[in-house]
Amino acid sequence: MRPNPLTDEHALAAIITAAEQLAQDRDWDYTDLTYIQAMSGLAATAEAMITTTIAQMDPDQRDWNQIADALGTTPGQARHDHQPPPLATNTDF
C-alpha cells in the first residue's frame, strides 16, 4: 500500500497561514468564500508546481514509482496527472 501525503497539524497550519496571507495580500474581505477562493488558488498553484518540478527533473532520472510514492498515488496516475509535455522539436520546415 502506498503512503498518502500527510494531512496533519503542520500541513493544516501552513495552509491556514498561506490562505489568510493570500487573502490579506489581495485586500479581500475575510469571509468564508474568500477563504475558499484563497485555498483553491493555493491548491491549483501547488498542483502546477508539482508538474513544473517533475518537468525540471532529468528525464533519465525520473522514476514514476518514486514520484507516485511522494504523491501518494500509483505510477500510472502520477504520470497521467503530471507528465511534462514533450519538448518541441525543430522540424526544419
Side-chain angles (χ1 to χ4, degrees), residues 24-90:
Q24 181 181 2
D25 290 349
R26 293 185 175 166
D27 292 326
W28 291 343
D29 292 331
Y30 187 82
T31 68
D32 290 341
L33 291 176
T34 58
Y35 187 60
I36 290 169
Q37 187 176 8
M39 287 188 297
S40 178
L42 290 168
T45 301
E47 197 71 18
M49 289 177 69
I50 290 169
T51 301
T52 299
T53 301
I54 292 169
Q56 292 172 348
M57 295 170 74
D58 178 353
D60 294 330
Q61 298 298 316
R62 191 176 297 140
D63 182 333
W64 287 105
N65 289 315
Q66 292 174 320
I67 292 169
D69 284 344
L71 293 172
T73 189
T74 65
Q77 190 64 48
R79 188 179 297 111
H80 176 268
D81 293 345
H82 301 288
Q83 176 78 40
L87 296 174
T89 58
N90 184 351

Side-chain angles (χ1 to χ4, degrees), residues 3-20:
N4 289 322
L6 290 179
T7 301
D8 59 14
E9 66 274 5
H10 302 290
L12 181 60
I15 294 288
I16 290 169
T17 300
E20 289 172 350

